[in-house]
Amino acid sequence: SDIHPLWMKHPNECSDEDYKAFYRKVFMDYKEPLFWIHLNMDYPFNLKGILYFPKINTEYESIEGTIKLYNNQVFIADNIKEVIPEFLMLLKGVIDCPDLPLNVSRSALQNDGFVKKISDYISKKVADKLTGMCKTAREDYEKYWDDISPFIKFGCIKDAKFSDKMDDYILFKNLDGKYLTLKDCIEENKKPESEAEKPEEEKKDGEQAEEKEPEKTTVYYVSDEVQQSQYINMFKEQGMDAVILKHNIDTAFITHVEQKHNDVKFQRIDADLTEDFKEDGEDLKEMTEELTATFKKALNNEQLDVKVEKLKNENISSMMTLSEESRRMQDMMKMYGMDANMFGGANGATLVLNANHPLVKYVAEHKDDETNVPLICQQLYDLAMMAHKQLSPEEMTQFIARSNQILLALAK
Protein backbone atom coordinates (compact mmCIF):
# COMPACT_ATOMS: atom_id res chain seq x y z
CA SER A 1 0.00 0.00 0.00
CA ASP A 2 1.08 3.61 -0.45
CA ILE A 3 3.41 5.19 2.05
CA HIS A 4 1.35 8.36 1.70
CA PRO A 5 -2.21 7.40 0.90
CA LEU A 6 -4.27 10.09 -0.79
CA TRP A 7 -6.31 10.95 2.28
CA MET A 8 -3.14 11.86 4.22
CA LYS A 9 -2.25 14.52 1.63
CA HIS A 10 -3.52 18.08 1.79
CA PRO A 11 -6.48 18.65 -0.58
CA ASN A 12 -4.41 21.28 -2.45
CA GLU A 13 -1.90 18.58 -3.42
CA CYS A 14 -4.51 16.30 -4.99
CA SER A 15 -5.79 16.59 -8.55
CA ASP A 16 -9.20 15.41 -9.77
CA GLU A 17 -7.42 12.59 -11.57
CA ASP A 18 -5.77 11.50 -8.30
CA TYR A 19 -9.15 11.30 -6.61
CA LYS A 20 -10.69 9.33 -9.48
CA ALA A 21 -7.77 6.91 -9.76
CA PHE A 22 -7.89 6.27 -6.01
CA TYR A 23 -11.64 5.62 -6.27
CA ARG A 24 -11.24 3.12 -9.11
CA LYS A 25 -8.42 1.31 -7.35
CA VAL A 26 -9.98 1.05 -3.89
CA PHE A 27 -13.62 0.47 -4.80
CA MET A 28 -13.27 -1.33 -8.14
CA ASP A 29 -16.01 0.97 -9.44
CA TYR A 30 -15.69 1.79 -13.14
CA LYS A 31 -18.39 4.51 -12.94
CA GLU A 32 -16.82 7.86 -12.06
CA PRO A 33 -17.92 9.33 -8.75
CA LEU A 34 -20.03 12.50 -9.02
CA PHE A 35 -17.92 14.47 -6.54
CA TRP A 36 -16.15 13.98 -3.23
CA ILE A 37 -15.48 15.62 0.09
CA HIS A 38 -11.95 15.64 1.47
CA LEU A 39 -11.99 15.78 5.27
CA ASN A 40 -8.76 17.16 6.68
CA MET A 41 -8.72 18.38 10.23
CA ASP A 42 -6.52 18.53 13.30
CA TYR A 43 -8.92 20.12 15.74
CA PRO A 44 -11.04 19.36 17.84
CA PHE A 45 -9.69 15.93 16.89
CA ASN A 46 -7.50 14.46 14.25
CA LEU A 47 -9.53 13.20 11.31
CA LYS A 48 -8.67 12.67 7.67
CA GLY A 49 -10.69 11.06 4.94
CA ILE A 50 -12.34 11.22 1.55
CA LEU A 51 -16.04 10.58 1.00
CA TYR A 52 -17.22 9.93 -2.56
CA PHE A 53 -20.76 10.41 -3.83
CA PRO A 54 -21.05 7.54 -6.30
CA LYS A 55 -23.27 7.58 -9.36
CA ILE A 56 -26.07 5.13 -8.74
CA ASN A 57 -28.49 3.57 -11.13
CA THR A 58 -31.49 4.12 -8.88
CA GLU A 59 -33.80 1.86 -10.82
CA TYR A 60 -31.83 -1.33 -10.44
CA GLU A 61 -29.40 -1.03 -7.57
CA SER A 62 -30.04 -1.08 -3.91
CA ILE A 63 -27.74 1.65 -2.74
CA GLU A 64 -24.87 0.19 -0.81
CA GLY A 65 -21.64 1.94 -0.07
CA THR A 66 -18.40 1.04 1.64
CA ILE A 67 -16.72 3.27 4.17
CA LYS A 68 -13.32 1.94 5.19
CA LEU A 69 -12.18 2.91 8.66
CA TYR A 70 -8.47 3.35 9.43
CA ASN A 71 -6.48 4.21 12.52
CA ASN A 72 -3.20 5.87 11.55
CA GLN A 73 -3.29 4.20 8.12
CA VAL A 74 -3.97 0.80 9.69
CA PHE A 75 -7.18 -0.66 8.26
CA ILE A 76 -9.71 -1.55 10.96
CA ALA A 77 -12.95 -2.52 9.23
CA ASP A 78 -15.59 -1.58 6.69
CA ASN A 79 -18.78 0.24 7.63
CA ILE A 80 -18.49 0.62 11.39
CA LYS A 81 -21.82 2.28 11.91
CA GLU A 82 -21.00 3.47 15.40
CA VAL A 83 -18.45 5.90 13.96
CA ILE A 84 -20.03 6.75 10.62
CA PRO A 85 -23.54 8.24 10.46
CA GLU A 86 -25.90 5.62 9.07
CA PHE A 87 -26.92 7.54 5.97
CA LEU A 88 -23.30 8.06 4.92
CA MET A 89 -22.88 4.29 4.73
CA LEU A 90 -24.46 4.72 1.31
CA LEU A 91 -21.32 6.56 0.17
CA LYS A 92 -17.92 5.11 -0.62
CA GLY A 93 -14.85 6.38 1.14
CA VAL A 94 -12.16 6.18 3.78
CA ILE A 95 -12.04 7.73 7.23
CA ASP A 96 -8.79 7.75 9.20
CA CYS A 97 -9.01 8.73 12.84
CA PRO A 98 -5.91 8.09 14.99
CA ASP A 99 -7.81 9.14 18.13
CA LEU A 100 -10.22 6.21 17.85
CA PRO A 101 -9.80 3.51 20.46
CA LEU A 102 -8.62 0.48 18.47
CA ASN A 103 -9.43 -2.44 20.68
CA VAL A 104 -12.85 -1.74 22.14
CA SER A 105 -16.03 -3.64 21.54
CA ARG A 106 -18.81 -2.32 19.33
CA SER A 107 -21.07 -1.77 22.34
CA ALA A 108 -18.43 0.37 24.02
CA LEU A 109 -18.10 2.42 20.84
CA GLN A 110 -21.84 2.93 20.78
CA ASN A 111 -21.83 4.60 24.19
CA ASP A 112 -18.64 6.55 23.67
CA GLY A 113 -19.33 10.30 23.66
CA PHE A 114 -16.17 10.97 21.66
CA VAL A 115 -17.20 8.59 18.89
CA LYS A 116 -20.60 10.30 18.75
CA LYS A 117 -18.83 13.66 18.30
CA ILE A 118 -16.84 12.28 15.35
CA SER A 119 -20.03 10.98 13.77
CA ASP A 120 -21.79 14.35 14.22
CA TYR A 121 -18.79 16.16 12.83
CA ILE A 122 -18.63 14.06 9.68
CA SER A 123 -22.33 14.60 9.10
CA LYS A 124 -21.95 18.38 9.61
CA LYS A 125 -19.05 18.49 7.12
CA VAL A 126 -21.14 16.71 4.50
CA ALA A 127 -24.03 19.13 5.03
CA ASP A 128 -21.64 22.11 4.75
CA LYS A 129 -20.23 20.81 1.48
CA LEU A 130 -23.71 20.24 0.01
CA THR A 131 -25.23 23.55 1.12
CA GLY A 132 -22.08 25.36 -0.04
CA MET A 133 -22.36 23.72 -3.45
CA CYS A 134 -26.02 24.66 -3.72
CA LYS A 135 -25.22 28.31 -2.90
CA THR A 136 -22.11 28.78 -5.03
CA ALA A 137 -22.42 26.17 -7.80
CA ARG A 138 -26.16 25.75 -8.18
CA GLU A 139 -25.84 24.40 -11.73
CA ASP A 140 -23.57 21.55 -10.61
CA TYR A 141 -25.79 20.86 -7.62
CA GLU A 142 -28.85 20.57 -9.89
CA LYS A 143 -26.89 18.36 -12.30
CA TYR A 144 -26.06 15.94 -9.46
CA TRP A 145 -29.39 16.25 -7.67
CA ASP A 146 -31.25 13.27 -9.13
CA ASP A 147 -28.31 11.00 -8.22
CA ILE A 148 -27.55 12.35 -4.75
CA SER A 149 -31.08 13.01 -3.54
CA PRO A 150 -31.64 9.45 -2.18
CA PHE A 151 -28.57 9.87 0.07
CA ILE A 152 -29.69 13.28 1.25
CA LYS A 153 -33.31 12.28 1.84
CA PHE A 154 -32.22 9.21 3.79
CA GLY A 155 -29.93 11.49 5.84
CA CYS A 156 -32.78 13.90 6.60
CA ILE A 157 -35.00 11.04 7.80
CA LYS A 158 -32.25 9.56 9.99
CA ASP A 159 -30.58 12.66 11.39
CA ALA A 160 -32.50 15.70 12.67
CA LYS A 161 -29.51 18.07 12.69
CA PHE A 162 -28.62 17.15 9.12
CA SER A 163 -32.25 17.63 8.16
CA ASP A 164 -32.31 21.15 9.68
CA LYS A 165 -29.17 22.14 7.81
CA MET A 166 -30.39 20.74 4.48
CA ASP A 167 -33.96 22.01 4.74
CA ASP A 168 -33.65 24.90 2.27
CA TYR A 169 -31.38 22.92 -0.05
CA ILE A 170 -33.68 20.01 -0.84
CA LEU A 171 -34.75 20.32 -4.47
CA PHE A 172 -37.91 19.13 -6.19
CA LYS A 173 -37.87 18.75 -9.97
CA ASN A 174 -41.10 19.94 -11.59
CA LEU A 175 -42.86 18.87 -14.79
CA ASP A 176 -40.76 21.28 -16.85
CA GLY A 177 -37.51 19.91 -15.42
CA LYS A 178 -36.97 23.01 -13.27
CA TYR A 179 -35.61 22.55 -9.74
CA LEU A 180 -37.60 24.15 -6.92
CA THR A 181 -37.02 24.36 -3.17
CA LEU A 182 -39.88 23.52 -0.81
CA LYS A 183 -40.51 27.27 -0.37
CA ASP A 184 -40.82 27.63 -4.16
CA CYS A 185 -43.26 24.69 -4.27
CA ILE A 186 -45.45 26.20 -1.56
CA GLU A 187 -45.43 29.62 -3.24
CA GLU A 188 -46.34 28.07 -6.59
CA ASN A 189 -49.25 26.03 -5.18
CA LYS A 190 -50.71 28.53 -2.71
CA LYS A 191 -54.41 29.16 -3.11
CA PRO A 192 -55.32 32.77 -3.87
CA GLU A 193 -56.11 34.74 -0.68
CA SER A 194 -59.83 34.99 -1.44
CA GLU A 195 -60.20 31.20 -1.37
CA ALA A 196 -57.96 30.63 1.59
CA GLU A 197 -59.48 33.08 4.02
CA LYS A 198 -62.91 32.16 5.25
CA PRO A 199 -64.45 34.54 7.80
CA GLU A 200 -63.97 33.46 11.41
CA GLU A 201 -67.10 32.58 13.30
CA GLU A 202 -67.95 34.96 16.13
CA LYS A 203 -66.83 33.57 19.49
CA LYS A 204 -69.19 33.62 22.45
CA ASP A 205 -67.88 35.10 25.69
CA GLY A 206 -65.71 32.76 27.72
CA GLU A 207 -65.13 30.41 24.75
CA GLN A 208 -61.55 29.35 24.33
CA ALA A 209 -59.96 30.57 21.13
CA GLU A 210 -59.11 27.38 19.25
CA GLU A 211 -55.56 26.77 18.08
CA LYS A 212 -55.84 27.38 14.36
CA GLU A 213 -54.33 24.73 12.12
CA PRO A 214 -52.12 26.47 9.58
CA GLU A 215 -53.56 26.67 6.08
CA LYS A 216 -52.06 23.64 4.30
CA THR A 217 -50.76 24.00 0.75
CA THR A 218 -51.02 20.90 -1.40
CA VAL A 219 -47.97 20.02 -3.46
CA TYR A 220 -48.84 17.50 -6.18
CA TYR A 221 -46.34 14.87 -7.23
CA VAL A 222 -45.79 12.27 -9.96
CA SER A 223 -44.11 8.94 -9.26
CA ASP A 224 -44.11 7.59 -12.82
CA GLU A 225 -44.26 9.97 -15.78
CA VAL A 226 -45.33 7.31 -18.27
CA GLN A 227 -47.98 5.66 -16.13
CA GLN A 228 -49.46 8.99 -14.98
CA SER A 229 -49.18 10.81 -18.32
CA GLN A 230 -52.95 11.25 -18.63
CA TYR A 231 -53.06 13.11 -15.31
CA ILE A 232 -49.95 15.13 -16.20
CA ASN A 233 -51.69 16.33 -19.39
CA MET A 234 -54.78 17.35 -17.41
CA PHE A 235 -52.57 19.32 -15.02
CA LYS A 236 -50.77 21.07 -17.88
CA GLU A 237 -54.08 21.96 -19.54
CA GLN A 238 -55.12 23.74 -16.34
CA GLY A 239 -51.75 25.46 -15.97
CA MET A 240 -51.01 23.43 -12.83
CA ASP A 241 -47.65 21.99 -11.82
CA ALA A 242 -46.39 18.91 -9.99
CA VAL A 243 -43.02 17.63 -8.81
CA ILE A 244 -41.45 14.32 -9.77
CA LEU A 245 -40.76 11.93 -6.88
CA LYS A 246 -39.95 8.50 -8.21
CA HIS A 247 -37.42 6.98 -5.84
CA ASN A 248 -38.61 4.39 -3.37
CA ILE A 249 -37.41 6.55 -0.46
CA ASP A 250 -39.80 9.35 -1.44
CA THR A 251 -42.87 7.94 0.34
CA ALA A 252 -41.03 8.03 3.66
CA PHE A 253 -39.41 11.36 2.80
CA ILE A 254 -42.60 13.29 2.07
CA THR A 255 -44.09 12.01 5.33
CA HIS A 256 -40.96 13.37 7.05
CA VAL A 257 -41.39 16.76 5.34
CA GLU A 258 -45.07 16.96 6.32
CA GLN A 259 -44.21 16.26 9.96
CA LYS A 260 -41.58 19.00 9.87
CA HIS A 261 -43.62 21.59 7.97
CA ASN A 262 -47.23 21.56 9.04
CA ASP A 263 -48.21 24.02 6.29
CA VAL A 264 -47.73 21.53 3.46
CA LYS A 265 -49.19 18.23 2.33
CA PHE A 266 -48.13 16.10 -0.62
CA GLN A 267 -50.66 14.42 -2.85
CA ARG A 268 -50.02 12.22 -5.84
CA ILE A 269 -51.41 13.64 -9.03
CA ASP A 270 -53.98 10.81 -9.32
CA ALA A 271 -55.13 10.81 -5.69
CA ASP A 272 -58.23 12.86 -6.35
CA LEU A 273 -59.75 15.00 -9.05
CA THR A 274 -59.24 18.58 -7.96
CA GLU A 275 -62.02 21.07 -8.60
CA ASP A 276 -59.96 22.60 -11.43
CA PHE A 277 -60.78 19.66 -13.72
CA LYS A 278 -64.54 19.66 -13.18
CA GLU A 279 -67.27 21.74 -14.72
CA ASP A 280 -69.85 23.25 -12.43
CA GLY A 281 -72.98 21.58 -13.45
CA GLU A 282 -76.23 19.95 -12.57
CA ASP A 283 -76.59 17.24 -9.99
CA LEU A 284 -75.33 13.89 -11.30
CA LYS A 285 -76.76 11.84 -8.43
CA GLU A 286 -79.20 9.79 -10.52
CA MET A 287 -76.67 9.12 -13.27
CA THR A 288 -74.12 8.07 -10.62
CA GLU A 289 -76.54 5.55 -9.07
CA GLU A 290 -77.41 4.01 -12.42
CA LEU A 291 -73.83 3.80 -13.67
CA THR A 292 -72.62 2.38 -10.36
CA ALA A 293 -75.16 -0.44 -10.62
CA THR A 294 -74.30 -1.11 -14.28
CA PHE A 295 -70.52 -1.20 -13.66
CA LYS A 296 -70.78 -3.34 -10.51
CA LYS A 297 -72.77 -5.88 -12.47
CA ALA A 298 -70.53 -5.81 -15.57
CA LEU A 299 -67.36 -6.16 -13.50
CA ASN A 300 -68.89 -8.53 -11.00
CA ASN A 301 -67.54 -6.37 -8.20
CA GLU A 302 -69.85 -5.23 -5.43
CA GLN A 303 -67.04 -3.28 -3.68
CA LEU A 304 -66.53 -0.97 -6.65
CA ASP A 305 -66.54 2.72 -5.79
CA VAL A 306 -67.82 4.88 -8.67
CA LYS A 307 -67.93 8.66 -9.07
CA VAL A 308 -69.46 10.48 -12.03
CA GLU A 309 -68.09 13.94 -12.84
CA LYS A 310 -68.34 16.38 -15.72
CA LEU A 311 -64.72 16.84 -16.72
CA LYS A 312 -63.57 19.86 -18.72
CA ASN A 313 -61.52 17.54 -20.92
CA GLU A 314 -64.17 15.55 -22.77
CA ASN A 315 -61.67 13.16 -24.36
CA ILE A 316 -61.11 11.39 -21.07
CA SER A 317 -63.67 8.65 -20.52
CA SER A 318 -62.60 7.07 -17.25
CA MET A 319 -59.90 7.45 -14.61
CA MET A 320 -58.85 5.84 -11.34
CA THR A 321 -58.09 7.82 -8.21
CA LEU A 322 -56.59 6.40 -5.04
CA SER A 323 -56.56 8.40 -1.84
CA GLU A 324 -53.11 9.51 -0.66
CA GLU A 325 -53.60 7.76 2.72
CA SER A 326 -54.41 4.41 1.08
CA ARG A 327 -51.45 4.68 -1.24
CA ARG A 328 -48.95 5.45 1.50
CA MET A 329 -50.36 2.63 3.55
CA GLN A 330 -49.85 0.27 0.59
CA ASP A 331 -46.30 1.56 0.01
CA MET A 332 -45.42 1.01 3.65
CA MET A 333 -46.83 -2.52 3.54
CA LYS A 334 -44.87 -3.30 0.38
CA MET A 335 -41.73 -2.04 2.06
CA TYR A 336 -42.28 -4.47 4.93
CA GLY A 337 -43.10 -7.30 2.54
CA MET A 338 -46.77 -7.47 3.53
CA ASP A 339 -49.62 -8.10 1.12
CA ALA A 340 -51.22 -4.76 0.28
CA ASN A 341 -54.52 -6.47 -0.60
CA MET A 342 -55.17 -7.47 2.97
CA PHE A 343 -57.65 -4.65 3.38
CA GLY A 344 -60.36 -5.64 0.95
CA GLY A 345 -60.72 -5.31 -2.78
CA ALA A 346 -59.97 -2.02 -4.42
CA ASN A 347 -58.08 -0.41 -1.52
CA GLY A 348 -59.67 3.01 -1.53
CA ALA A 349 -59.57 3.28 -5.32
CA THR A 350 -62.40 5.10 -7.05
CA LEU A 351 -63.45 4.75 -10.69
CA VAL A 352 -64.22 8.21 -12.04
CA LEU A 353 -66.46 8.34 -15.11
CA ASN A 354 -66.71 11.46 -17.25
CA ALA A 355 -70.35 12.34 -17.86
CA ASN A 356 -69.25 14.42 -20.88
CA HIS A 357 -67.78 11.43 -22.72
CA PRO A 358 -69.89 9.71 -25.44
CA LEU A 359 -69.02 6.18 -24.20
CA VAL A 360 -70.13 6.97 -20.67
CA LYS A 361 -73.33 8.53 -22.04
CA TYR A 362 -73.87 5.41 -24.15
CA VAL A 363 -73.57 3.11 -21.12
CA ALA A 364 -75.94 5.33 -19.13
CA GLU A 365 -78.55 5.26 -21.92
CA HIS A 366 -78.27 1.55 -22.88
CA LYS A 367 -77.98 -0.18 -19.54
CA ASP A 368 -80.19 -3.06 -20.74
CA ASP A 369 -77.91 -3.88 -23.66
CA GLU A 370 -76.40 -7.18 -22.55
CA THR A 371 -73.97 -7.46 -25.46
CA ASN A 372 -71.99 -4.24 -25.76
CA VAL A 373 -72.41 -2.55 -22.40
CA PRO A 374 -70.57 -5.13 -20.24
CA LEU A 375 -67.70 -5.07 -22.75
CA ILE A 376 -67.52 -1.27 -22.71
CA CYS A 377 -67.64 -1.20 -18.90
CA GLN A 378 -64.82 -3.73 -18.61
CA GLN A 379 -62.74 -1.88 -21.19
CA LEU A 380 -63.28 1.51 -19.55
CA TYR A 381 -62.31 0.06 -16.20
CA ASP A 382 -59.10 -1.52 -17.56
CA LEU A 383 -58.15 1.66 -19.43
CA ALA A 384 -58.60 3.66 -16.23
CA MET A 385 -56.54 1.09 -14.34
CA MET A 386 -53.71 1.20 -16.89
CA ALA A 387 -53.22 4.92 -16.40
CA HIS A 388 -52.95 4.23 -12.69
CA LYS A 389 -50.82 1.11 -12.27
CA GLN A 390 -49.67 -1.91 -14.24
CA LEU A 391 -52.26 -4.58 -14.94
CA SER A 392 -51.54 -8.08 -13.68
CA PRO A 393 -50.66 -10.71 -16.33
CA GLU A 394 -54.22 -12.18 -16.24
CA GLU A 395 -55.82 -8.72 -16.49
CA MET A 396 -53.55 -7.87 -19.41
CA THR A 397 -54.43 -11.10 -21.20
CA GLN A 398 -58.15 -10.39 -20.81
CA PHE A 399 -57.69 -6.79 -21.89
CA ILE A 400 -55.96 -7.83 -25.12
CA ALA A 401 -58.54 -10.54 -25.89
CA ARG A 402 -61.37 -8.07 -25.28
CA SER A 403 -59.68 -5.39 -27.44
CA ASN A 404 -59.51 -7.88 -30.31
CA GLN A 405 -63.16 -8.77 -29.80
CA ILE A 406 -64.14 -5.08 -30.00
CA LEU A 407 -62.06 -4.57 -33.15
CA LEU A 408 -63.65 -7.64 -34.75
CA ALA A 409 -67.11 -6.23 -34.04
CA LEU A 410 -66.06 -3.06 -35.83
CA ALA A 411 -64.80 -4.99 -38.83
CA LYS A 412 -68.09 -6.80 -39.40
Side-chain angles (χ1 to χ4, degrees):
S1 77
D2 305 347
I3 308 173
H4 289 295
L6 197 63
W7 71 84
M8 297 303 286
K9 295 182 177 168
H10 191 276
N12 297 347
E13 301 168 20
C14 311
S15 70
D16 283 4
E17 201 27 69
D18 292 338
Y19 285 117
K20 289 174 188 172
F22 178 78
Y23 180 76
R24 280 193 297 270
K25 191 174 96 181
V26 176
F27 300 105
M28 307 287 175
D29 189 346
Y30 61 93
K31 292 199 288 271
E32 279 199 356
L34 298 164
F35 59 94
W36 46 86
I37 299 170
H38 195 142
L39 303 165
N40 183 13
M41 46 172 309
D42 308 311
Y43 179 82
F45 33 74
N46 193 334
L47 180 84
K48 306 258 187 285
I50 304 168
L51 294 175
Y52 290 92
F53 277 77
K55 183 159 177 53
I56 46 169
N57 183 338
T58 39
E59 278 186 59
Y60 302 108
E61 290 173 25
S62 64
I63 311 168
E64 222 172 278
T66 309
I67 304 272
K68 299 182 169 298
L69 190 64
Y70 288 79
N71 178 316
N72 255 334
Q73 301 181 49
V74 176
F75 176 67
I76 302 173
D78 283 334
N79 299 351
I80 294 201
K81 64 173 185 290
E82 287 73 22
V83 182
I84 295 143
E86 186 180 358
F87 70 98
L88 293 179
M89 300 286 215
L90 305 175
L91 305 183
K92 294 183 176 173
V94 289
I95 300 276
D96 191 331
C97 186
D99 305 332
L100 266 184
L102 258 181
N103 51 359
V104 286
S105 67
R106 284 281 177 94
S107 57
L109 278 178
Q110 233 164 2
N111 304 317
D112 188 322
F114 172 69
V115 170
K116 174 90 182 84
K117 278 199 187 77
I118 292 180
S119 176
D120 288 349
Y121 180 80
I122 296 172
S123 149
K124 176 183 175 304
K125 275 302 196 205
V126 170
D128 290 346
K129 167 84 179 187
L130 293 168
T131 56
M133 190 192 293
C134 186
K135 286 178 202 156
T136 59
R138 173 76 183 232
E139 250 178 58
D140 287 343
Y141 189 69
E142 289 186 0
K143 187 174 76 194
Y144 299 140
W145 179 254
D146 291 357
D147 278 302
I148 64 177
S149 62
F151 301 116
I152 294 175
K153 289 169 180 176
F154 186 56
C156 290
I157 293 168
K158 290 287 178 197
D159 180 335
K161 275 193 200 142
F162 182 78
S163 179
D164 291 341
K165 275 181 118 61
M166 291 304 301
D167 215 26
D168 295 333
Y169 305 95
I170 299 287
L171 301 183
F172 296 89
K173 185 158 76 167
N174 76 358
L175 295 177
D176 297 326
K178 237 178 71 188
Y179 287 94
L180 312 172
T181 62
L182 185 63
K183 283 196 182 87
D184 299 335
C185 292
I186 292 175
E187 270 316 299
E188 191 187 73
N189 289 287
K190 265 212 171 97
K191 289 260 182 278
E193 285 301 310
S194 57
E195 282 183 56
E197 286 185 30
K198 303 238 163 50
E200 286 259 316
E201 286 183 32
E202 300 288 311
K203 295 213 166 40
K204 299 192 189 78
D205 285 346
E207 246 191 289
Q208 279 287 295
E210 268 188 59
E211 273 282 307
K212 264 190 67 181
E213 272 274 299
E215 186 67 39
K216 280 196 196 295
T217 300
T218 302
V219 173
Y220 295 97
Y221 69 95
V222 172
S223 58
D224 182 329
E225 290 125 299
V226 176
Q227 198 87 55
Q228 290 144 28
S229 58
Q230 186 182 16
Y231 301 87
I232 293 174
N233 292 338
M234 286 172 71
F235 264 60
K236 286 182 169 166
E237 279 164 17
Q238 294 304 319
M240 292 167 70
D241 197 9
V243 295
I244 295 165
L245 294 173
K246 52 184 177 188
H247 194 272
N248 47 15
I249 195 154
D250 283 319
T251 303
F253 181 68
I254 56 184
T255 303
H256 164 83
V257 174
E258 289 168 340
Q259 284 162 354
K260 209 169 171 210
H261 298 270
N262 55 2
D263 56 346
V264 65
K265 69 173 196 290
F266 284 83
Q267 185 166 308
R268 203 167 89 175
I269 196 164
D270 56 353
D272 195 9
L273 283 187
T274 53
E275 294 309 314
D276 305 81
F277 303 133
K278 302 174 193 171
E279 286 178 1
D280 296 334
E282 70 276 26
D283 185 20
L284 298 167
K285 188 164 175 275
E286 197 177 317
M287 191 175 184
T288 305
E289 282 171 5
E290 287 179 2
L291 282 169
T292 303
T294 307
F295 270 80
K296 279 183 172 176
K297 187 178 163 200
L299 296 163
N300 192 12
N301 177 357
E302 275 309 311
Q303 305 316 193
L304 188 68
D305 192 11
V306 178
K307 238 189 207 168
V308 179
E309 301 284 2
K310 289 205 151 186
L311 301 183
K312 290 179 184 169
N313 183 335
E314 63 227 26
N315 299 325
I316 291 172
S317 54
S318 56
M319 303 174 69
M320 277 322 245
T321 61
L322 173 63
S323 79
E324 188 63 24
E325 291 73 27
S326 304
R327 170 169 310 102
R328 287 202 209 172
M329 185 69 191
Q330 287 182 19
D331 284 349
M332 288 301 286
M333 289 173 74
K334 255 192 246 142
M335 221 168 78
Y336 292 115
M338 291 154 75
D339 177 13
N341 296 322
M342 275 166 40
F343 298 129
N347 303 65
T350 302
L351 175 66
V352 180
L353 299 170
N354 182 7
N356 284 334
H357 193 278
L359 276 173
V360 175
K361 289 179 184 161
Y362 180 90
V363 172
E365 286 157 19
H366 299 82
K367 55 178 188 291
D368 300 326
D369 168 355
E370 296 284 324
T371 321
N372 295 327
V373 163
L375 271 188
I376 295 171
C377 291
Q378 288 161 3
Q379 200 72 351
L380 286 177
Y381 179 82
D382 278 357
L383 287 167
M385 255 333 214
M386 287 165 102
H388 172 72
K389 67 182 185 66
Q390 286 189 323
L391 295 183
S392 71
E394 300 89 83
E395 290 164 342
M396 198 59 183
T397 306
Q398 287 173 357
F399 175 76
I400 292 169
R402 195 185 319 115
S403 301
N404 282 324
Q405 202 180 335
I406 290 168
L407 291 173
L408 271 172
L410 279 177
K412 278 182 182 152

